[in-house]
């Protein structure tokens, strides 16, 4: 993997960059649609690529390990081939899911024991075996295994948790560096900065991780219940330390405004289930604000879903029609809303790139943040 | 509407024809995907048209009347505009749904009183108001309001029911002929031959309906629980009488084999929820037989869904991947299966047309009927 920092904004920390992987280039800042279990929910791969214009998607190690399982993925020749996705893939390590989804989880030095949320079967994730699993998945970018404490964790817990995460990180890197990709394309390994809501822990982690000199770095454990301002503060603290010539990935974030604020603070990569999850529930993000398409006010609004939208669904379907689909619980409703929202997210980061390029990012960002949060 | 009978097969009653509507031409024999409530479940209109190659779709008066309701459809300028579908639409009259879905239905001379299956609200359908509703929907082909007795109805019930259906038919025609289309495109009205499983009732109805000289005719009340052979027999009996120069529509039928046998007996138009409903449940119809994609045997079969398939999904996705989507209850599974099945149905009727054209229909049909019913 290669990262070129093309430009840094004058009045903010926003950056323009380009990541090169064996599955193609990624223009940063970028948003990565979440394809939890080998599918971006409700959307054909063709449309994720050619209509939404996603440049990279994210897979979940925890989910893929349980279903279809590593044996099937290995036989398929990796996730790219299994799901027929030709662009880059990043996989999280499963740490977050183990702590949020699984039952009877138990933290030990070795790793995390857990029971599957599907059938109760017993498993263990270790810093080493999540590397092996991600080697089998064949992700272009592999994430370190970490503990992700809740946003409300106290200092003592967060500190102890960070120490464990750092020991796990070193084991993970050691294992990654002595193993090889299975399918002929290169893979890279991103460490994750943890440390809860405590600047000194975040700084300590950021310094240690900077020293490791990996090809990219991530910020984890944010957007997990802490106030938004704290999330921004932690991002700033960490990004002041993380190397400028490596991409920075803010994990699991967030709303459109969160993403613009993250970009403004020097983040290059984002992922979040919000555009698809909220879309399936009838919430549409647009450049003019947020639409709850289930509201009766849209019942006879025959204007297109989003006159400024870039996806094929935006001009093709009307608000009244989309509302009808949700009212009738038709599959096509969530499908349309998911495509729209992801297209909006990809449009938003593309606009950010254009504005960073032409020097007007700061002004544009401040205007957009006000608009995109409005309830229409 | 215009119908040109282009060719009649020598060794069967299969026919090649072309229907012309203000929304375009339809090559017959044809299968019409069911878009119950203004959407072919799980499939974008773009794909129904350009990938599945549907030439006409079906809407359900009962469902559309309840949701979104005639006011919204009228304000939209009809169903074509509401759902942005530019090709022809046929709507059933709601008779079948009133008797199969609604609660507290009550048959009176005036029509059928019923309560909505959604909110229990009270409604009445009459031969006249279902014409009005279908005028508002703007269907190219409007169906008569009929009673659809169960396949097990005795002669006395079927006979009495037929008499009512015929009185309703005459009222419906009278009302249709004195009303006008609302949106500038022409609409036509098809009577429905009922009569249960009784050849003499079917003949009587077919003769009376032939006399009416409408632009097309339908056969209803089959595939409702009677043995398949009886369905074929009733189709034969009726098609011997119905005019040869008008299209014949066998309502709600059926399996791929049913469709080929129907074509062989002189049917020109079909509709059925089977390709989408069974598809959503993991059943795939192919030219080599039926696949239950949920079966473990497909778990590591990485061959394409259907090497002979004509839809984009057939070559793009593998059986193992599709099985994984169903196992994981992912939205994309039903979406893929629905597209595949409808594409197969449209391919099948297209093949039938080619075989009728080149004179090899009978032989081909007999081979296909054996293959397409096999469990793979």
């Amino acid at each position: 993997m290669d990262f070129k920092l093309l430009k840094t904004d004058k009045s903010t920390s926003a950056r323009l960059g380009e990541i090169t992987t064996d599955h193609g280039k990624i223009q940063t800042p970028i948003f990565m649609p979440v394809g939890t279990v080998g599918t971006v929910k409700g959307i054909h791969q063709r449309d994720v690529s050619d209509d939404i214009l996603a440049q990279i998607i994210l897979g979940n190690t925890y989910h893929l390990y349980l279903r279809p399982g590593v044996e099937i993925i290995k036989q398929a020749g990796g996730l790219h081939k299994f799901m027929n996705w030709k662009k880059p893939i990043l996989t999280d390590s499963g740490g977050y899911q183990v702590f949020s989804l699984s039952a009877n989880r138990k933290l030990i030095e070795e790793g995390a024991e857990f029971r599957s949320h599907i059938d109760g079967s017993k498993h263990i994730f270790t810093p080493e075996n999540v590397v092996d699993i991600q080697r089998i998945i064949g992700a272009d970018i592999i994430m370190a295994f970490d503990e992700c404490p809740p946003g409300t964790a106290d200092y003592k817990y967060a500190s102890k948790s960070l120490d464990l995460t750092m020991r796990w990180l070193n084991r993970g890197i050691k294992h990654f560096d002595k193993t090889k990709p299975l399918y002929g394309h290169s893979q890279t390994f991103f460490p994750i900065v943890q440390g809860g809501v405590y600047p000194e822990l975040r700084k300590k982690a950021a310094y240690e991780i900077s020293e490791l000199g990996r090809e990219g770095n991530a910020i984890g454990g944010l957007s997990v219940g802490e106030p938004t301002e704290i999330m921004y503060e932690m991002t700033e603290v960490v990004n002041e330390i993380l190397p400028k010539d490596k991409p920075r990935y803010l994990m699991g974030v967030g709303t459109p405004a969160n993403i613009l604020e993250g970009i403004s603070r020097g983040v290059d990569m984002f992922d979040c289930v919000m555009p698809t999850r909220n879309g399936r529930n009838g919430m549409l993000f647009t450049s003019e604000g947020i639409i709850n398409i289930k509201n009766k006010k849209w019942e006879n609004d025959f204007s297109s879903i989003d006159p400024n939208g870039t996806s094929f669904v935006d001009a093709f379907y009307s608000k009244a029609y989309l509302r009808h689909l949700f009212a009738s619980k038709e599959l096509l409703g969530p499908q349309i809303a998911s495509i729209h929202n992801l297209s909006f997210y990809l449009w938003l980061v593309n606009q950010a790139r254009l504005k960073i390029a032409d020097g007007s990012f700061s002004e544009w960002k401040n205007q957009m943040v006000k608009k995109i949060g409005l309830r229409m």
Side-chain angles (χ1 to χ4, degrees), chain A:
Chain A
M1 199 201 85
D2 177 61
F3 178 67
K4 275 199 199 106
L5 181 65
L6 301 173
K7 186 179 179 183
T8 302
D9 190 43
K10 286 208 170 67
S11 54
T12 70
S13 300
R15 303 131 51 87
L16 205 61
E18 186 179 79
I19 296 172
T20 302
T21 75
D22 285 353
H23 285 101
K25 290 182 188 299
I26 303 158
Q27 310 301 322
T28 63
I30 192 66
F31 178 81
M32 305 181 281
V34 177
T36 311
V37 65
T39 159
V40 178
K41 289 185 193 300
I43 311 179
H44 289 281
Q45 276 74 316
R46 178 193 66 178
D47 297 338
V48 176
S49 170
D50 302 346
D51 188 56
I52 290 165
L53 304 177
Q55 299 184 29
I56 172 173
I57 60 170
L58 182 140
N60 285 108
T61 292
Y62 171 86
H63 289 284
L64 290 163
Y65 164 79
L66 292 177
R67 279 192 306 215
V70 290
E71 267 316 305
I72 297 295
I73 295 176
K74 194 186 242 170
Q75 286 177 44
L79 182 60
H80 285 90
K81 284 192 181 162
F82 184 58
M83 68 180 292
N84 200 1
W85 174 255
K86 293 176 171 57
K87 296 183 183 180
I89 297 175
L90 177 150
T91 39
D92 71 359
S93 65
Y96 181 76
Q97 281 74 28
V98 164
F99 297 105
S100 62
L101 279 183
S102 70
N104 290 67
R105 62 192 172 279
K106 191 179 160 196
L107 215 56
I108 54 176
E109 185 62 33
E110 170 71 4
E113 292 175 340
F114 63 96
R115 286 185 180 276
S116 159
H117 72 290
I118 300 163
D119 62 5
S121 55
K122 213 172 167 177
H123 306 271
I124 183 166
F125 273 174
T126 68
E128 291 84 7
N129 77 4
V130 298
V131 166
D132 293 335
I133 296 167
Q134 292 177 90
R135 287 287 197 199
I136 291 170
I137 291 172
D140 299 272
I141 302 173
I142 282 180
M143 301 305 299
F145 190 59
D146 57 346
E147 192 201 349
C148 182
T152 53
D154 64 21
Y155 183 88
K156 197 178 155 192
Y157 183 97
S159 175
K160 217 182 129 194
S161 166
L162 177 60
D163 290 343
L164 179 66
T165 287
M166 295 307 287
R167 291 195 298 277
W168 282 359
L169 173 59
N170 289 315
R171 282 168 53 194
I173 287 176
K174 203 171 152 190
H175 192 72
F176 177 85
D177 287 344
K178 72 177 189 193
T179 55
K180 287 197 182 331
L182 301 178
Y183 311 116
H185 64 265
S186 70
Q187 299 180 285
T188 192
F189 179 102
F190 280 20
I192 303 170
V193 175
Q194 288 285 354
V197 297
Y198 305 100
E200 51 275 50
L201 295 180
R202 290 279 176 184
K203 280 181 193 169
K204 181 183 142 198
Y207 278 118
E208 285 184 37
I209 283 174
S210 297
E211 290 301 305
L212 297 171
R214 306 308 301 188
E215 295 180 305
N217 300 291
I219 309 170
L222 291 175
S223 200
V224 291
E226 80 287 356
T228 307
E229 286 309 317
I230 301 285
M231 173 172 80
Y232 294 154
E233 188 199 335
M234 294 302 113
T235 306
E236 281 171 28
V237 162
V238 170
N239 278 348
E240 272 167 30
I241 298 164
L242 288 180
K244 294 199 185 323
D245 59 344
K246 305 288 170 61
R248 301 154 175 169
Y249 162 31
L250 180 55
M251 301 181 78
V253 175
T255 65
N258 291 162
I259 286 172
L260 294 188
E261 295 296 354
I263 291 172
S264 179
R265 286 161 177 82
V267 175
D268 308 298
M269 302 165 72
F270 301 86
D271 80 284
C272 191
V273 294
M274 188 173 276
T276 39
R277 182 175 292 169
N278 293 24
R280 289 197 302 280
N281 201 31
M283 180 187 278
L284 305 181
F285 298 101
T286 81
S287 56
E288 303 294 322
I290 295 169
I291 292 175
N292 179 349
I293 201 67
K294 292 178 173 177
N295 281 350
K296 194 168 169 63
K297 68 180 289 194
W298 308 113
E299 189 179 37
N300 60 356
D301 184 332
F302 301 104
S303 67
S304 63
I305 293 177
D306 183 359
N308 306 317
T310 55
S311 159
F312 86 94
V313 302
D314 290 311
F316 193 92
Y317 301 108
S318 72
K319 295 184 182 77
Y321 179 69
L322 184 55
R323 180 189 183 273
H324 161 66
L325 294 178
F326 273 96
S328 305
K329 299 185 174 58
E330 281 289 333
L331 284 175
L332 191 59
Q335 291 172 229
I336 292 171
S338 297
I339 289 183
H340 164 79
N341 279 349
L342 283 177
S343 296
F344 173 70
Y345 269 62
L346 268 297
W347 171 85
L348 191 70
V349 293
N350 186 55
Q351 284 300 107
R353 292 195 297 268
L354 295 173
K355 301 300 178 183
I356 297 168
D358 75 12
S360 65
F361 174 76
S362 179
E363 194 186 345
W364 172 80
K365 187 266 290 181
N366 290 334
Q367 285 171 0
M368 283 304 286
V369 164
K370 275 179 205 147
K371 281 208 296 183
I372 56 186
L374 295 173
R375 297 275 166 170
M376 288 171 74

